[in-house]
Amino acid sequence: MKIIAIPVTENNQIEDHFGKCEFYEIYTISEENEIIATKILESNQGCGCKSNIAQVLAEHGVTTMLAGGIGQGAINVLNKFNIEVIRGCSGNTKEIVTNFLKGEILDNGITCSHTHEEDHQCSH
């Protein structure tokens, strides 16, 4: 069994930037690569790399994060909790998970490096 998290918007689309999402959808995947459960986890607001979200996701058993844009700091923190990050995802979250399970979604290798509020950089 594996558990996948996705940062989402209120209309079930992937959030363009990991650190700005309001909540995560967490998918439990069976050994047969089928979605067997979904739950919502509210997000603490703030940059993903400076929040405790990686620890919280790890406590929920998350091993994979399917993300849109995400900074290197957040990737580093997620990786410390043994959460693999797949960047460059977009669209409807259930479709993303389904396509990921089919092997159709791969990491695009692009890390966010734009400036946020208070001169915080994603790429630290």
Side-chain angles (χ1 to χ4, degrees):
M1 191 163 43
K2 57 185 155 191
I3 301 179
I4 298 171
I6 301 181
V8 293
T9 65
E10 60 191 30
N11 60 354
N12 293 328
Q13 300 292 308
I14 193 161
E15 175 62 55
D16 289 338
H17 194 278
F18 169 79
K20 293 188 178 268
C21 81
E22 294 182 25
F23 57 95
Y24 297 88
E25 286 182 353
I26 299 178
Y27 291 83
T28 302
I29 311 302
S30 71
E31 297 297 328
E32 294 79 28
N33 261 359
E34 296 175 356
I35 298 169
I36 57 174
T38 306
K39 64 182 172 181
I40 301 295
L41 175 66
E42 287 191 39
S43 171
N44 295 330
Q45 292 298 312
C47 178
C49 62
K50 295 198 179 226
S51 73
N52 70 338
I53 194 61
Q55 178 178 346
V56 171
L57 291 169
E59 289 169 358
H60 283 271
V62 173
T63 56
T64 304
M65 169 67 64
L66 301 178
I70 186 168
Q72 190 61 51
I75 292 170
N76 292 345
V77 172
L78 288 163
N79 289 169
K80 285 181 186 175
F81 285 90
N82 297 313
I83 299 173
E84 175 188 21
V85 178
I86 307 297
R87 299 166 284 189
C89 300
S90 64
N92 176 277
T93 56
K94 188 170 182 181
E95 290 174 13
I96 292 167
V97 172
T98 301
N99 291 337
F100 175 74
L101 295 174
K102 291 178 185 176
E104 297 173 358
I105 293 184
L106 303 173
D107 182 57
N108 73 359
I110 299 172
T111 302
C112 171
S113 63
H114 62 274
T115 302
H116 294 285
E117 305 82 28
E118 303 173 19
D119 294 323
H120 177 72
Q121 292 284 332
C122 291
S123 61
H124 60 84

